[in-house]
Amino acid sequence: ARRAIIRVLGLAGPGYELAVIRQLKSGDEPTGREALRALTRMGTPQAAAAVATQIEDGADWARPAAEEALWHFPQELAMAQLRKLLGRREFVLRHPQLATRLMDRATGANVDGLAGALEGLVSLRYRFWNTHLVRVAHKAQQLLQR
């Protein structure tokens, strides 16, 4: 019943974000996935920020689902959240493979707005002991050269 209510709240549109965001903390994977879909349907900046929070701090099942949900938001909202995520060095250091996937997906989008965040990642190429961070740096450099 909870998932049906979340689905209805998602279809109701903006204004019910807080009620849906609370359901992300339920720990129930199907309920959490439905909450992510509902937030995507709402398409508000608050909903996009909640999805970005799940990308960074969510459960193991929530990260890939939230990553996919982020790309279903309007492009300007998705790019704003992507800029915030990639601009936080601690996020990239904790989740380098996720950061690389996010940059790969951003390749098809307008990456002009990401330049500030990407410039900060290029210096990670000197962390040669962590190949994942070196890949992040090379990907950032590639995107900046486009």
Side-chain angles (χ1 to χ4, degrees):
R2 187 184 312 176
R3 288 190 295 270
I5 292 170
I6 293 170
R7 187 176 301 132
V8 169
L9 290 175
L11 293 171
Y16 299 101
E17 292 92 342
L18 288 177
V20 175
I21 290 169
R22 280 190 223 121
Q23 298 305 313
L24 289 170
K25 299 174 185 165
S26 72
D28 180 33
E29 183 176 345
T31 302
R33 288 182 182 276
E34 189 60 46
L36 288 170
R37 281 191 287 274
L39 290 170
T40 302
R41 279 187 217 107
M42 290 176 185
T44 64
Q46 185 180 13
V51 170
T53 300
Q54 288 299 305
I55 291 173
E56 184 172 9
D57 297 324
D60 290 336
W61 64 264
R63 282 191 192 106
E67 180 184 346
E68 184 61 33
L70 182 66
W71 299 109
H72 292 284
F73 279 94
Q75 185 176 358
E76 59 275 355
L77 287 177
M79 294 307 282
Q81 293 306 317
L82 185 60
R83 217 177 1 263
K84 287 179 186 174
L85 286 171
L86 294 177
R88 290 209 316 276
R89 196 172 181 90
E90 64 275 0
F91 167 75
V92 177
L93 292 174
R94 278 190 321 174
H95 306 292
Q97 293 171 321
L98 180 56
T100 303
R101 281 197 314 268
L102 289 171
M103 286 190 286
D104 283 339
R105 293 284 298 263
T107 302
N110 181 10
V111 294
D112 294 334
L114 292 177
L118 295 175
E119 288 170 357
L121 299 178
V122 173
S123 66
L124 294 175
R125 70 180 180 270
Y126 297 115
R127 295 189 179 226
F128 54 86
W129 59 89
N130 189 333
T131 57
H132 297 298
L133 290 177
V134 172
R135 284 189 197 119
V136 168
H138 286 298
K139 187 62 164 176
Q141 181 124 22
Q142 288 173 354
L143 289 175
L144 284 171
Q145 290 175 349
R146 288 187 177 188

